[in-house]
Amino acid sequence: MLYAFGAADPGFPYATTSFSFSNVAANPMIFAYGALVVVYVLYEGSRKNGSMKNAVAYGLARHKIFAVQCIVSFLVSMILLCLTEAVYVGSACLLLEEKGAVNVADMAGSTAAAFPVAAAALVLGVVVVQASERGFAGLVIWLCVMSFIPQGFLYLGLQVDALREAAMWMPHNFFSAMTVNQSVCEAIWDTGAGMARCWIAGAAGLVLFSVAGVYVMRKKEL
């Protein structure tokens, strides 16, 4: 679409690789939302169609079922990520003018920074799918944990410095604090400390949600 508009109008300012890449690099949480979609497509109906009951009836431990669902979701997500980014980056480089502040390295940086956060979001997606009777309820819980609660902490942090520091360890907040557009790229992954924050936050979420998932699977009636 960008290429078509640029070809039709030589003055069209958005037919550039920087604009295309900045749409993703400015919003790394898109990877977390993508992971959630994969989980819902794969497992949202597992309780309704009886596959969970059958697996338990055959003697599979619940925590193993949870682990398998996380692993399968992760592998499917990785395949989709590789295919999608290859097409996205390849088509932009072939069709659009290479111009602006955001380049392929920034696309790679955004993917690397979002990777552990998206993995944690994926595990949380499996947890809420198994914990909730209705898919919409699980979606609301996921959004609260990944978006609404971090925003609440950030607003409270405007009054309490300690809460602000805690809020800036939450992925939604530190990704939102970046300045990334087609003319400026000041991203969290530009520094070692910033990339470390992404990976530490993602790893912490991964551990926390994994523990929650095992607990939910053991306590939930199928």
Side-chain angles (χ1 to χ4, degrees):
M1 185 184 298
L2 294 174
Y3 171 77
F5 277 111
D9 179 8
F12 184 68
Y14 305 117
T16 65
T17 55
S18 184
F19 178 78
S20 180
F21 295 154
S22 67
N23 287 324
V24 176
N27 302 284
M29 287 297 291
I30 194 173
F31 295 104
Y33 286 98
L36 176 66
V37 171
V38 170
V39 171
Y40 262 70
V41 169
L42 291 177
Y43 295 115
E44 196 276 329
S46 63
R47 292 173 57 82
K48 298 177 184 178
N49 60 28
S51 61
M52 283 291 296
K53 288 184 178 180
N54 293 335
V56 173
Y58 278 116
L60 292 177
R62 295 189 179 203
H63 69 276
K64 291 184 179 179
I65 296 173
F66 172 72
V68 168
Q69 290 182 344
C70 291
I71 292 170
V72 171
S73 298
F74 178 80
L75 293 176
V76 172
S77 297
M78 285 299 300
I79 293 171
L80 294 175
L81 173 65
C82 292
L83 292 175
T84 303
E85 284 216 346
V87 173
Y88 193 93
V89 174
S91 60
C93 291
L94 288 172
L95 299 175
L96 302 177
E97 180 184 2
E98 187 174 347
K99 178 183 177 182
V102 186
N103 53 35
V104 174
D106 293 307
M107 275 288 294
S110 68
T111 304
F115 186 85
V117 174
L122 183 148
V123 173
L124 177 60
V126 177
V127 174
V128 299
V129 164
Q130 297 304 331
S132 58
E133 297 292 338
R134 298 181 180 180
F136 181 75
L139 178 61
V140 171
I141 295 171
W142 190 94
L143 287 172
C144 285
V145 174
M146 297 300 297
S147 180
F148 300 151
I149 292 176
Q151 289 183 64
F153 265 81
L154 188 60
Y155 293 144
L156 291 174
L158 297 176
Q159 304 298 326
V160 182
D161 291 340
L163 287 180
R164 176 173 174 79
E165 181 60 28
M168 292 311 296
W169 276 93
M170 299 177 180
H172 179 276
N173 295 335
F174 59 64
F175 283 141
S176 298
M178 302 187 307
T179 302
V180 179
N181 53 56
Q182 62 176 333
S183 57
V184 178
C185 186
E186 297 176 358
I188 191 171
W189 55 82
D190 287 339
T191 66
M195 183 66 83
R197 182 177 293 248
C198 298
W199 278 78
I200 292 171
L206 190 60
V207 172
L208 177 62
F209 301 148
S210 296
V211 172
V214 172
Y215 177 82
V216 167
M217 291 294 286
R218 288 178 176 174
K219 297 296 183 180
K220 189 69 176 179
E221 293 186 5
L222 302 178

